[in-house]
Amino acid sequence: MTAGPLSVLAAQVPLLRGQDAVDQFASEVAAMADDFPRAGLLVFPELHTVPAAGGTPEHLRAAAERLEGPWVEAMSGIARRHGIHLLPGSFCEAGPDGELFNTAVMFGPDGDILGTYRKIFPWRPSEPFTPGGAFTVVDVEGVRIGLSICYDAWFPEHSRQLGWLGADVIVNIVHTTTCDRTAEVVLAQANAITNQVYVVSVNSAGPEGVGRSLIVDPEGIVRTAAPAAERLMLTDVLDPAACRRVRRFGTSGLNRLWSQFTPADHPLTLPAYNGQIEPERWSINQKGD
């Protein structure tokens, strides 16, 4: 498949409350599909349709469903109805052994599941979620998208792994209600720069979320951003050719991070990980294996 470009709609919207949150979401998507008919991918904030997203751990556990449950079925139907790629935020997944995961699911225009991702770095000690154990990269119209949830962005290892798997875009869905959103904006730019990828960081709007969603290009330049917490749709067209260009010629024509190591270099020991960088494995893995 020829890669991109991909038209993206990042929806900075208030978290949906009430037991009819999924029905509200269906109406929300229908309106956006009418207003932005050329959008190939719609992205929503973390835990967007979970009524207990701002509640206690007990509320979150009570809202949990299996991956084969009604939430996934409903989201699949919405994506299929509008013929869109859809990342509807995340939901509380009841794991097979009693775990509680914060799980994102990417749906294709036929309603099929393209990939699932369980948040690896829950915000401790406040979040009761079990950490996931696998990184997820999916192909959307030939554009490779790495999935990331909120606090994942604070750990450079996470974005680096997605970049190594060949991600052109890292989508970081967020429900941040605190003053550290200022730091997250910086991290979105830093993760884009250090991995030479687009970063789409989508936060909830007020009254709970503090907004400030943004889309950053592979050189760290902010392409579009929400200045505050108001309801706002960010639209952009992401071209993976920009990632290829930056990786070939360097950020600002200078820094070629993925070409730093050569096979002649000695392995670099990384004591914090009880591992090492092996020069022959440093370059981007386009196959994702």
Side-chain angles (χ1 to χ4, degrees):
M1 180 183 295
T2 302
L6 175 66
S7 176
V8 174
L9 169 65
Q12 179 174 291
V13 286
L15 183 140
L16 297 175
R17 290 295 198 182
Q19 296 306 310
D20 64 342
V22 171
D23 291 334
Q24 295 180 57
F25 182 69
S27 299
E28 191 172 52
V29 172
M32 292 180 192
D34 286 342
D35 291 341
F36 304 94
R38 297 187 64 83
L41 170 63
L42 271 61
V43 180
F44 291 83
E46 177 187 21
L47 299 172
H48 178 55
T49 60
V50 177
T56 66
E58 291 73 23
H59 288 140
L60 292 170
R61 289 190 179 278
E65 299 180 12
R66 290 295 183 92
L67 189 61
E68 304 80 11
W71 185 88
V72 168
E73 183 178 358
M75 297 301 149
S76 172
I78 292 170
R80 183 171 56 251
R81 190 175 311 130
H82 298 287
I84 55 173
H85 290 87
L86 178 65
L87 183 58
S90 59
F91 80 111
C92 297
E93 179 195 355
D97 298 312
E99 309 98 330
L100 179 65
F101 296 110
N102 185 345
T103 301
V105 185
M106 178 75 81
F107 297 91
D110 295 328
D112 49 326
I113 294 177
L114 300 183
T116 63
Y117 168 67
R118 292 167 171 168
K119 186 176 183 179
I120 292 175
F121 295 104
W123 189 44
R124 289 174 168 170
S126 297
E127 293 182 351
F129 298 111
T130 303
F135 297 89
T136 300
V137 177
V138 298
D139 288 319
V140 174
E141 297 185 9
V143 178
R144 183 159 286 187
I145 295 179
L147 301 182
S148 171
I149 301 178
C150 203
Y151 204 44
D152 289 334
W154 288 74
F155 295 84
E157 302 85 354
H158 193 282
S159 296
R160 175 51 50 83
Q161 179 68 21
L162 294 176
W164 184 80
L165 289 171
D168 304 301
V169 181
I170 294 175
V171 175
N172 180 237
I173 56 175
V174 182
H175 178 55
T176 294
T177 63
T178 47
C179 61
D180 56 346
R181 182 61 184 165
T182 298
E184 291 178 347
V185 170
V186 176
L187 287 168
Q189 291 181 265
N191 287 328
I193 292 168
T194 57
N195 297 291
Q196 297 178 324
V197 297
Y198 289 97
V199 171
V200 179
S201 178
V202 188
N203 192 19
S204 302
E208 292 186 38
V210 297
R212 298 190 66 187
S213 302
L214 70 162
I215 298 175
V216 187
D217 82 357
E219 295 184 272
I221 299 170
V222 176
R223 293 179 57 85
T224 185
E230 73 276 16
R231 177 186 176 93
L232 188 65
M233 308 300 121
L234 300 182
T235 59
D236 204 352
V237 179
L238 311 184
D239 190 351
C243 299
R244 312 289 181 265
R245 172 183 57 79
V246 173
R247 291 166 186 167
R248 179 183 178 188
F249 295 104
T251 301
S252 301
L254 297 170
N255 303 299
R256 300 174 65 243
L257 307 173
W258 291 107
S259 301
Q260 176 66 23
F261 294 98
T262 72
D265 292 331
H266 294 294
L268 176 64
T269 301
L270 301 173
Y273 307 106
N274 193 28
Q276 61 185 19
I277 292 176
E278 300 176 11
E280 65 273 15
R281 288 176 54 80
W282 177 252
S283 61
I284 290 173
N285 180 359
Q286 291 292 341
K287 294 182 180 179
D289 43 41

